[in-house]
Amino acid sequence: MEHWNSTLGSGFILMGILNDSGSPELLCATITALYMLALTSNGLLLLVITVDSRLHVPMYFLLRQLSLMDLLFTSVVTPKAVMDFLLDENTISFGGCALQMFLALMLGGAEDLLLAFMAYDRYVAICHPLNYMVFMRPRVCWFMVATAWGLASISAFVYTVYTMHYPFCMSRKIRHLLCEIPPLLNLACADTSRYELFVYVMGVTFLIPPLFTIISSYALILCTVFRMPSSEGKQKALVTCSSHLMVVGMFYGAATFMYVLPSSLHSPKQDNIISLFYTVVTPALNPLIYSLRNKEVMGALKRVLGKYKL
């Protein structure tokens, strides 16, 4: 099969879920509504945590980072997918594809690590409350955030450069919602088996330690919670932790499917649904999960809305 010059050619064609849907107009409207919900809810959460001094504690400092990541993640993918459908223009340049892949991998990797740090924060708060402000002092919080962004950026850069160095074939159609490693490798005109193994190994390496941290943290938390004499304290701890676990379940379920399961178990339709879930649905639901069940956030939201008369 002939090669095409990806740097000088017209780039790729993204054949996302909207093109394969039986009701593309309805799906487009749904995706647009979810994107607007993600913008509004994450934007409000960022505003509330920044403005209300009562939320200037480590837990909400990390939650603010999560909202920022979700806001950026969905904005990297959703606006282009919707505009491409409305304008009937699905092309993306080689450079644009590389940039989208880098940003998606960076934001996804940073969220992966951040969720582990958030689990550690809850562990310290519940199991070692007297030393909470010592273990989670500002310098430690900033180190956690810098580590998440830094490691994710390095990893995403390496993945992007190596993936985009392959020669691609005349078929420029990416049967996916965005530029990601698995669908792009399907277009490569070279043996990618070793690189696919590397992606699998690194995917497991990047996902398992944070997931182990989360599971260990919550196992210790549950042991502590069940020994609490106060039923009110138990309920507050369980509500806070259950919100985090819901977010963890959605994120790690999608990430495991895309980057840990063997390619033989993938299909374009399944991959599109999973990518839609973690780029559109999850960013819209995360702030609702954290805020609607959290009295402190809802109280702060009412104070901020009242102050600015929004």
Side-chain angles (χ1 to χ4, degrees):
M1 185 176 288
E2 298 180 36
H3 296 182
W4 59 278
N5 192 330
S6 53
T7 57
L8 299 176
S10 56
F12 300 97
I13 301 173
L14 286 172
M15 304 296 292
I17 193 170
L18 289 171
N19 302 88
D20 297 329
S21 170
S23 304
E25 293 83 5
L26 177 61
L27 183 58
C28 182
T30 303
I31 291 174
T32 303
L34 285 171
Y35 178 62
M36 297 307 298
L37 176 62
L39 287 182
T40 304
S41 55
N42 283 293
L44 275 176
L45 198 54
L46 283 168
L47 174 66
V48 167
I49 295 174
T50 302
V51 171
D52 197 301
S53 58
R54 302 182 195 184
L55 300 184
H56 291 178
V57 294
M59 171 182 166
Y60 296 109
F61 174 78
L62 297 177
L63 181 56
R64 183 172 60 179
Q65 291 294 317
L66 180 66
S67 286
L68 177 61
M69 290 173 186
D70 281 338
L71 192 61
L72 294 174
F73 199 175
T74 190
S75 296
V76 166
V77 178
T78 312
K80 176 167 177 53
V82 172
M83 292 306 297
D84 281 354
F85 175 75
L86 295 176
L87 300 176
D88 196 23
E89 176 62 51
N90 297 329
T91 60
I92 185 170
S93 67
F94 181 85
C97 185
L99 178 61
Q100 188 183 60
M101 180 189 295
F102 170 76
L103 292 174
L105 288 171
M106 177 187 68
L107 292 164
E111 187 165 334
D112 168 42
L113 296 172
L114 184 69
L115 289 173
F117 290 137
M118 292 176 72
Y120 173 76
D121 168 75
R122 290 299 82 208
Y123 160 72
V124 175
I126 294 173
C127 300
H128 303 282
L130 298 180
N131 294 319
Y132 180 62
M133 295 310 298
V134 175
F135 291 140
M136 295 299 296
R137 56 191 180 275
R139 183 178 296 181
V140 174
C141 293
W142 279 109
F143 176 77
M144 289 178 171
V145 170
T147 300
W149 284 102
L151 290 180
S153 298
I154 295 171
S155 173
F157 180 77
V158 173
Y159 275 131
T160 302
V161 169
Y162 202 83
T163 301
M164 302 305 287
H165 97 284
Y166 281 108
F168 296 102
C169 301
M170 284 297 291
S171 175
R172 300 183 294 118
K173 294 182 180 180
I174 302 175
R175 303 190 65 81
H176 201 55
L177 183 65
L178 69 154
C179 289
E180 278 196 287
I181 296 172
L184 266 172
L185 292 182
N186 291 334
L187 303 182
C189 294
D191 181 15
T192 62
S193 56
R194 289 187 179 181
Y195 181 54
E196 288 181 40
L197 178 61
F198 172 77
V199 170
Y200 170 78
V201 172
M202 291 305 297
V204 171
T205 303
F206 215 79
L207 287 172
I208 296 303
L211 185 58
F212 177 77
T213 301
I214 292 169
I215 293 173
S216 300
S217 296
Y218 281 103
L220 294 171
I221 286 171
L222 286 175
C223 292
T224 302
V225 166
F226 288 131
R227 290 199 302 265
M228 286 182 176
S230 168
S231 58
E232 183 179 349
K234 284 183 182 180
Q235 184 177 4
K236 183 178 179 180
L238 289 174
V239 166
T240 303
C241 295
S242 61
S243 298
H244 187 205
L245 285 173
M246 289 175 66
V247 173
V248 167
M250 291 191 298
F251 177 84
Y252 278 93
T256 299
F257 185 91
M258 282 300 297
Y259 289 98
V260 176
L261 289 184
S263 57
S264 59
L265 299 179
H266 289 236
S267 72
K269 186 173 182 179
Q270 288 176 329
D271 287 353
N272 267 317
I273 293 173
I274 295 297
S275 64
L276 179 68
F277 188 79
Y278 63 74
T279 59
V280 181
V281 178
T282 302
L285 294 182
N286 280 356
L288 300 180
I289 292 172
Y290 276 110
S291 60
L292 292 180
R293 303 180 67 191
N294 190 311
K295 293 181 181 179
E296 291 178 340
V297 173
M298 293 304 295
L301 178 61
K302 291 177 182 177
R303 289 192 296 271
V304 171
L305 294 178
K307 181 179 179 181
Y308 292 95
K309 297 180 180 180
L310 296 176

